[in-house]
Amino acid sequence: MPETLLTIQKIIYNYSSGKRALDSVDFTVAAGEFVALAGRNGSGKTTLTRLAMALLKPTGGSIHFQGKNTAAMTPADMARSIGYVFQNPDRQIFRETVAQEVSYGPEQLGFSPEAINESVAWALNMTGLTELAGNFPRTLSRGQKQKVAIASAIAMKPQVLILDEPTSGQDPWEAQTLMELLTDLNQQGITIILVTHDMELIAQYAARVVVLEQGHKVFDGIPAGLFDGSQDIGAWGLMPPAVLSLSQQLTGVEANCAADLVELLGSAIKRRREH
C-alpha cells in the first residue's frame, strides 16, 4: 500500500473571534494521490490547507506528516516536503526574473549551486516556462504567473503540492493547460491536493474528493460517488458538472467530462450512420 503522507486527526480551528472554522475533521492523504478538496466559500478548505502547511496552528487535534507531529514545525520546515501555491500568484512573486523567482526556494533550503540550476531547469521545463526564464514575472499573464508559482514550488522537490483555486481567473484553455500540468506532476510521483469549487475539474482530473461543509467533512470518496445522485450535494452548495447532468438526460450515455461526452456522442452518431 502507498505510504500515508499526511494525517489530519480531529482537527479543530477557531478564529480569533471565537467562530469555529473546522470541527473534528479527519482524513489522510497517501503518496501519489490526486485529491480535490471541495466545498462552498467559507467551508474551511483554505484554512485546512494552511494548517497542513503550519501557516496556522490548530485549536485542537493534530496533524502528522510521515508520522511526525507538525505542531512544533514552521512553514519553512513544511516547505521541505510540501509545496504551497496561493490562489493569487502575485502574493508569491517578488524577484526580477522568472528564473530568479524559481530559484528562491532551493536557495533557502540550502541546495548546492549545481542542484539549484538542475532543479530550476527541470521546473521551468515541466511548466513550459523555459523560454520565459529571463522575463519579469509581473508582466506575464495570470496563467503564466500561476505556472511560475507552481515552478517555484516544485523546484524544491516536494512530495506534496497543495494548490488553492489555481484556475481562478483563468480562461478555459489556461485552466486545461494547468490541469494537464498537474496530471503530469502527479504521474511523476508528486501528491496533489487541489482546493477548488470547480466540479468539472474534479470530475475530469481528481481521483478522490473530500467535501467540507461548515467546517465538517461530509464526503470522502471518488468523484463518481459524489455525482451519482446518492448525495444531496445541493445542500452543500455544490452543483454537478454540466456535462454529467446532460449525459444523465441522454439514454445510454454516461460521461464525466466534455471530452468523454464528445467521444460517446461521436461514436453514437457513427453507429447510427452505419445502420
Side-chain angles (χ1 to χ4, degrees), residues 210-252:
V210 175
V211 180
L212 298 180
E213 168 64 3
Q214 295 183 352
H216 297 270
K217 186 184 77 172
V218 292
F219 181 86
D220 186 348
I222 62 174
L226 181 64
F227 303 128
D228 64 4
S230 64
Q231 307 292 330
D232 185 11
I233 65 174
W236 305 332
L238 306 178
M239 293 285 290
V243 168
L244 182 60
S245 297
L246 176 60
S247 71
Q248 289 173 343
Q249 297 177 48
L250 301 174
T251 303

Side-chain angles (χ1 to χ4, degrees), residues 6-7 20 26 30 32 68 84 99-100 105 117 122 135 156 158 204 215 220 223 250 271:
L6 189 64
T7 303
R20 181 152 295 186
D26 283 300
K68 297 180 180 179
Y84 193 97
Q100 289 175 357
N117 290 336
W122 172 77
N135 286 42
M156 293 184 281
Q204 186 170 358
D220 186 348
L250 301 174
R271 289 195 300 271

Side-chain angles (χ1 to χ4, degrees), residues 6 27 29 33-39 44-53 55 81-89 91-92 126-127 142-155 158-168 170 174-187 189-198 201-202 205-206 208 210:
L6 189 64
F27 73 94
V29 177
E33 282 199 278
F34 194 130
V35 183
L37 188 57
K45 306 185 301 295
T46 296
T47 299
L48 185 58
T49 60
R50 293 188 175 185
L51 285 163
M53 277 299 297
L55 292 165
S81 301
I82 303 178
Y84 193 97
V85 179
F86 290 90
Q87 180 175 350
N88 182 356
R91 293 184 60 184
Q92 295 179 256
M126 282 298 302
T127 52
R142 173 64 179 258
Q144 289 171 329
K145 288 179 181 178
Q146 197 64 274
K147 286 184 177 181
V148 171
I150 293 173
S152 298
I154 65 175
Q159 294 169 271
V160 180
L161 184 61
I162 298 176
L163 305 101
D164 190 357
E165 300 282 2
T167 60
S168 175
Q170 297 189 26
E174 285 182 320
Q176 180 181 347
T177 301
L178 188 143
M179 293 305 300
E180 289 173 352
L181 166 61
L182 297 185
T183 299
D184 288 343
L185 293 172
N186 184 240
Q187 290 173 348
I190 297 179
T191 301
I192 303 293
I193 300 176
L194 175 70
V195 176
T196 184
H197 67 279
D198 193 324
L201 296 184
I202 289 174
Y205 295 100
R208 175 182 164 207
V210 175

